[in-house]
Amino acid sequence: MASFDSYRELFSYNNNNDTMSEARTLEREEPNYFGAGPALLPTSVLQEAALDLLGYEGDNLGIGEISHRSKPAIKVIDDTKANLTKLLNIPDTHEVFFMQGGGTTGFSSIVYNLFANYAKKTNGQKAKAAYAITGSWSKKASEEATRLGFEVDVVVNTKSQKFADIPPYSEWKAIDKNTAYLYVCDNETVNGNEFKDIPGPEYLPEGVELVADMSSNILSKAIDVSKYGLIMAGAQKNIGLAGLTIYIIKKSLIEQPSDEELRSYGIPLTPIAFHYPTVISNNSAYNTIPIFTCHILKLVTEKLLSEGGIAHIQKLNEQKADLLYSALEKYPGFYTLPISNPNVRSNMNVVFTLPSEELEAKFIKEAAERKLSGLKGHRSVGGMRASIYNAVTLHSVQLLVDLVNEFATNNS
Ligand code: PMP
């Protein structure tokens, strides 16, 4: 890899406008950014990736310019898969692959593919799917499955309680016999709740697969991949750039009937770019995979591995979340935590409100003065949201905690 200095000239420009004449470099002041996604990435990863955009592995062609079927591109895909396998301890029973399209494409591709797989296993039966609606993303996923004409059974829906809690499985509606999968959103990015366990056999009947959207918390904590039929995660929050979605699928869920068979069963065919068997048999490059985005994911996962893997990052994430929630809880009349059950509060997206919109605006303003940004809540729920993903440092969280303390003291 070339040194940063030798590339610095390539990056510098002199604009005639005096205010813009400062040379650009590959350095930056560390941001204290709490945006929900796209989100912060480690500076060292971005620096290396920036250099790789100009020339990859000693070549004068960058990583974004080479063919997605070239040897270096295939190696990026394979290395990223291997890193994910190591980090999450993915067993041989499961397969990792990537697709374009984000979490929203997951909402639709999951239904098509898993209903087709169910038909394969049952000689053409039409399945139904169980959806747990515990926040706005699982609600969207269930609405998409319904919109596409598949049979959906909502087994829990906490919308009327503003998604403030995740009720115990014993209170969920029982799962019907011919159900292909139970869909959950493991971390609800907008509302700020997170599952801290997964349903065991007392709730989830044998043969019903657990499907989880982990777009906003994948690689934040250890999970037992063997318990899942499918994990889907857009990369742009905790671990990468937009443009790539990670799928971890149980191998027994890959196989599907032929197109003719599906037609004869009256089960819709999956669009080819999102047809899991096709994507998997082409090592995630059936069509053009955004290889630069995959490369970023490779660098992020490499960094995680070198720093102690999931155990290390999980501990840090717990520490950050604990620090922030504890500070907010010290002022119960001032800060409100809409997730009423502390046991399901997200370690990634900390949602809170202040006594008035005026105070919220003042909080944002004072945060900006301290160079803390990205704190405004999602437009649908208002308030504040501090997303403290993997790349957000303990130092950034400490700066936010200082503001939380001082603001409450000065404005109560
Ligand atoms: N699932 C979750 C949990 C999300 O936070 C989001 C928002 N980015 C999505 C799905 C939708 O992702 P995308 O915008 O990539 O389609």
Side-chain angles (χ1 to χ4, degrees):
M1 189 179 72
S3 76
F4 293 148
D5 282 343
S6 67
Y7 275 100
R8 198 162 287 174
E9 254 176 273
L10 285 166
F11 273 80
S12 64
Y13 62 90
N14 261 315
N15 191 306
N16 285 336
N17 177 349
D18 277 348
T19 58
M20 296 282 288
S21 64
E22 212 177 298
R24 299 180 76 194
T25 75
L26 282 181
E27 308 299 325
R28 69 174 180 186
E29 184 185 336
E30 277 307 313
N32 299 300
Y33 180 56
F34 301 92
L40 196 69
L41 286 169
T43 300
S44 62
V45 163
L46 296 176
Q47 287 168 330
E48 192 162 348
L51 298 176
D52 291 338
L53 265 179
L54 281 165
Y56 188 58
E57 293 193 331
D59 202 347
N60 61 347
L61 275 179
I63 182 72
E65 297 166 300
I66 57 174
S67 161
H68 59 296
R69 299 191 206 287
S70 64
K71 259 196 188 155
I74 293 167
K75 185 162 176 350
V76 168
I77 298 171
D78 289 342
D79 288 350
T80 312
K81 282 166 67 171
N83 290 351
L84 286 166
T85 304
K86 252 189 242 160
L87 281 166
L88 290 173
N89 230 337
I90 300 175
D92 276 352
T93 46
H94 285 62
E95 175 83 38
V96 186
F97 66 100
F98 309 113
M99 279 190 346
Q100 297 191 30
T104 306
T105 308
F107 298 165
S108 23
S109 75
I110 287 169
V111 208
Y112 280 118
N113 283 282
L114 295 193
F115 274 64
N117 171 264
Y118 188 86
K120 177 78 190 175
K121 290 191 297 209
T122 57
N123 289 320
Q125 270 185 43
K126 280 189 187 151
K128 51 160 81 174
Y131 276 74
I133 300 182
T134 56
S136 45
W137 290 113
S138 46
K139 182 167 174 290
K140 281 212 161 107
S142 105
E143 285 166 357
E144 175 63 356
T146 305
R147 191 185 73 89
L148 292 170
F150 295 95
E151 193 179 345
V152 165
D153 202 6
V154 174
V155 288
V156 67
N157 186 350
T158 55
K159 184 168 187 317
S160 60
Q161 296 96 54
K162 297 194 172 148
F163 306 121
D165 196 0
I166 301 176
Y169 301 112
S170 55
E171 291 174 18
W172 293 19
K173 187 175 166 230
I175 292 185
D176 278 354
K177 259 205 329 284
N178 60 332
T179 300
Y181 62 89
L182 166 68
Y183 182 103
V184 297
C185 177
D186 201 62
N187 184 71
E188 283 285 0
T189 324
V190 171
N191 313 91
N193 65 52
E194 183 173 14
F195 280 80
K196 300 293 157 118
D197 64 358
I198 55 174
E202 65 288 350
Y203 178 67
L204 199 63
E206 168 124 28
V208 178
E209 302 291 347
L210 181 61
V211 172
D213 173 1
M214 293 195 179
S215 294
S216 49
N217 66 349
I218 189 147
L219 297 186
S220 71
K221 61 179 181 184
I223 51 171
D224 182 352
V225 173
S226 72
K227 297 270 185 333
Y228 294 85
L230 178 67
I231 293 168
M232 178 276 287
Q236 72 268 26
K237 290 166 193 303
N238 213 24
I239 50 173
L241 293 182
L244 201 70
T245 311
I246 300 159
Y247 292 77
I248 305 170
I249 191 170
K250 198 187 266 182
K251 286 178 180 161
S252 61
L253 297 186
I254 300 173
E255 222 190 333
Q256 295 187 17
S258 67
D259 290 356
E260 289 67 37
E261 283 169 325
L262 281 172
R263 280 192 201 98
S264 75
Y265 303 148
I267 291 173
L269 275 62
T270 311
I272 195 70
F274 309 122
H275 183 248
Y276 298 165
T278 302
V279 177
I280 291 166
S281 62
N282 286 278
N283 196 28
S284 303
Y286 171 72
N287 66 326
T288 315
I289 177 173
I291 204 69
F292 179 67
T293 307
C294 189
H295 182 53
I296 294 265
L297 185 53
K298 180 191 139 178
L299 296 176
V300 169
T301 48
E302 233 165 57
K303 186 171 187 310
L304 282 173
L305 279 166
S306 74
E307 289 172 349
I310 292 294
H312 169 80
I313 197 74
Q314 175 168 352
K315 204 161 149 230
L316 196 59
N317 286 332
E318 285 167 357
Q319 205 181 342
K320 290 182 317 195
D322 189 44
L323 198 64
L324 186 49
Y325 281 119
S326 306
L328 293 162
E329 278 179 326
K330 269 200 298 183
Y331 310 93
F334 193 74
Y335 298 111
T336 303
L337 290 159
I339 303 302
S340 53
N341 178 357
N343 298 327
V344 302
R345 282 181 188 149
S346 166
N347 279 355
M348 297 279 98
N349 309 98
V350 178
V351 174
F352 59 100
T353 60
L354 279 80
S356 68
E357 281 185 17
E358 289 69 34
L359 279 172
E360 287 179 349
K362 193 171 172 209
F363 185 93
I364 296 279
K365 189 165 164 281
E366 290 191 19
E369 284 161 11
R370 297 175 188 217
K371 296 191 177 174
L372 309 177
S373 60
L375 287 162
K376 220 166 181 302
H378 190 269
R379 59 188 188 284
S380 65
V381 294
M384 305 288 145
R385 173 174 49 172
S387 298
I388 48 176
Y389 298 127
N390 285 0
V392 177
T393 60
L394 191 57
H395 176 68
S396 288
V397 175
Q398 189 57 61
L399 293 177
L400 177 57
V401 163
D402 293 344
L403 173 65
V404 163
N405 285 324
E406 286 163 37
F407 195 83
T409 310
N410 296 337
N411 293 281
S412 307

